[in-house]
Amino acid sequence: HGHTGPVPGGEYGIAASTVYHYHSTPHAPYMIGCYGPVDSLAACRALYPSCGSAEYLSDFVYLSTDGVTQETVTDYNLWCPCYEP
């Protein structure tokens, strides 16, 4: 999920600043979602024709935070990076 916010300096050889950046999360889309910034979920979905198409829905299996247990998300659109957390 991308957003504009403060990032710490030093860890990656950069100065502390406020920049647009991404986080990985346990929620869809898990890694980089809509490349932003955009004004709304609708604006994001307008950038990707596959959003809202049942043709692209599938199951998505991932490891839970314990690193062992498998979790399954049904009807996940692998080709639509636009989700609200």
Side-chain angles (χ1 to χ4, degrees):
H1 307 330
H3 71 109
T4 300
V7 295
E11 187 173 348
Y12 298 103
I14 60 171
S17 60
T18 299
V19 296
Y20 192 85
H21 62 278
Y22 298 93
H23 297 266
S24 60
T25 70
H27 310 287
Y30 308 104
M31 276 305 290
I32 293 178
C34 181
Y35 295 97
V38 294
D39 294 331
S40 65
L41 183 60
C44 178
R45 289 185 174 161
L47 297 172
Y48 301 92
S50 61
C51 290
S53 173
E55 175 184 354
Y56 297 100
L57 296 178
S58 64
D59 288 347
F60 180 74
V61 179
Y62 65 97
L63 291 179
S64 67
T65 54
D66 67 12
V68 177
T69 308
Q70 286 191 344
E71 304 282 342
T72 302
V73 176
T74 57
D75 294 336
Y76 181 78
N77 187 333
L78 294 172
W79 301 104
C80 180
C82 307
Y83 290 87
E84 289 184 310

